[in-house]
Amino acid sequence: MVMLRKSLGTSLLGILATGCILLMALSVQRGAAVPINTHCRLNKTDFEPYIANRTYMLANKASLGDDNTDVRLIGKNLSHDVHVSKHCYLMKQVLNFTLEEVLLPWSDRFQPYMKDVVPFMAKLNNKLKQCNIQSGHQNIQRKVQKLKDTVEKLGESGKIKVVGELYLLFQGLKDTCA
Ligand SMILES: *[C@@H]1O[C@H](CO)[C@@H](O)[C@H](O)[C@H]1NC(C)=O
Ligand SMILES: *[C@@H]1O[C@H](CO)[C@@H](O)[C@H](O)[C@H]1NC(C)=O
Ligand SMILES: *[C@@H]1O[C@H](CO)[C@@H](O)[C@H](O)[C@H]1NC(C)=O
Ligand SMILES: *[C@@H]1O[C@H](CO)[C@@H](O)[C@H](O)[C@H]1NC(C)=O
């Protein structure tokens, strides 16, 4: 049991480490002057510490049930070859999928965290409703579709993985849209 906990704990660290690399890559690229679609915009104040904590706790709880460390949904590969000006749009598409396929159907699971995180994510999704891009939909659609296919193929454990990576989505939205 102790061994089990230990390896599962390591798995969340792995997820977060991968995420940090992704986010570092994103913020380095952000240095370049790129016009950002005004609708692809969130306010930093949307990401307050309380909801950050709830999202983290939720992801942590779910990742205890995720022992598949080979598959990463939100990682370097997701934003690889997507222009930095489109990263927020990409994250928005992942958010939309996450809400529709996992969070809303599972809104009664992983309490007490889910009851705070679902409305929060729904609010962000709503704020990004007008967020669009002028070109390159297809490439992004392909990537999001691949993510959906992976989740579907894994079934229940794919959905658990989505919840386990929610904090990466949170950070990704914050870093690319706010
Ligand atoms: C963000 O929200 C704060 C508080 O609601 C507001 O004062 C600020 O103007 C907003 N910033 C942007 C960029 O919308
Ligand atoms: C989140 O909040 C709980 C209590 O509400 C606290 O025990 C925990 O340490 C916090 N976690 C983080 C990562 O801030
Ligand atoms: C990363 O993406 C590339 C191209 O989209 C794909 O060929 C490769 O298999 C992906 N790697 C992983 C680990 O998913
Ligand atoms: C996801 O996006 C589709 C198409 O833009 C939209 O019809 C749907 O309402 C969105 N889902 C959620 C949960 O907002």
Side-chain angles (χ1 to χ4, degrees):
M1 191 56 196
V2 170
M3 287 296 288
L4 185 65
R5 285 241 168 257
K6 191 161 174 238
S7 70
L8 293 176
T10 312
S11 118
L12 179 67
L13 284 181
I15 292 172
L16 292 175
T18 314
C20 278
I21 294 167
L22 162 75
L23 298 173
M24 268 155 55
L26 290 178
S27 43
V28 167
Q29 289 174 332
R30 217 156 34 134
V34 192
I36 293 178
N37 185 321
T38 50
H39 293 302
C40 296
R41 206 93 184 91
L42 293 169
N43 196 326
K44 277 220 161 33
T45 58
D46 289 327
F47 299 88
E48 46 178 56
Y50 173 77
I51 197 66
N53 176 298
R54 293 271 118 174
T55 309
Y56 180 85
M57 300 290 271
L58 173 60
N60 194 26
K61 191 166 181 173
S63 72
L64 294 177
D66 177 14
D67 50 7
N68 179 347
T69 54
D70 297 338
V71 179
R72 286 278 176 272
L73 302 171
I74 300 182
K76 257 185 307 196
N77 228 32
L78 185 64
S79 58
H80 172 77
D81 80 9
V82 174
H83 191 266
V84 61
S85 63
K86 296 170 182 162
H87 283 174
C88 178
Y89 177 79
L90 170 64
M91 286 296 155
K92 166 206 157 152
Q93 298 292 25
V94 176
L95 172 63
N96 179 287
F97 160 74
T98 299
L99 264 169
E100 226 158 52
E101 302 296 325
V102 183
L103 298 187
L104 293 174
W106 274 10
S107 54
D108 57 339
R109 295 184 60 163
F110 298 113
Q111 297 302 349
Y113 311 113
M114 201 64 111
K115 73 171 162 50
D116 288 337
V117 173
V118 172
F120 167 73
M121 291 291 177
K123 186 185 77 179
L124 296 189
N125 198 38
N126 199 43
K127 285 189 171 192
L128 290 172
K129 213 157 50 183
Q130 307 289 328
C131 169
N132 222 319
I133 53 173
Q134 279 165 1
S135 62
H137 295 90
Q138 281 178 348
N139 181 31
I140 291 180
Q141 224 46 62
R142 237 190 338 267
K143 282 175 166 279
V144 176
Q145 189 59 48
K146 199 172 157 199
L147 187 148
K148 290 180 187 177
D149 293 345
T150 305
V151 171
E152 198 163 305
K153 206 169 67 192
L154 292 173
E156 168 110 354
S157 73
K159 291 184 177 179
I160 290 174
K161 186 174 285 295
V162 169
V163 182
E165 294 193 11
L166 260 189
Y167 194 66
L168 289 181
L169 179 61
F170 179 97
Q171 291 288 349
L173 285 162
K174 185 178 175 189
D175 287 3
T176 64
C177 306

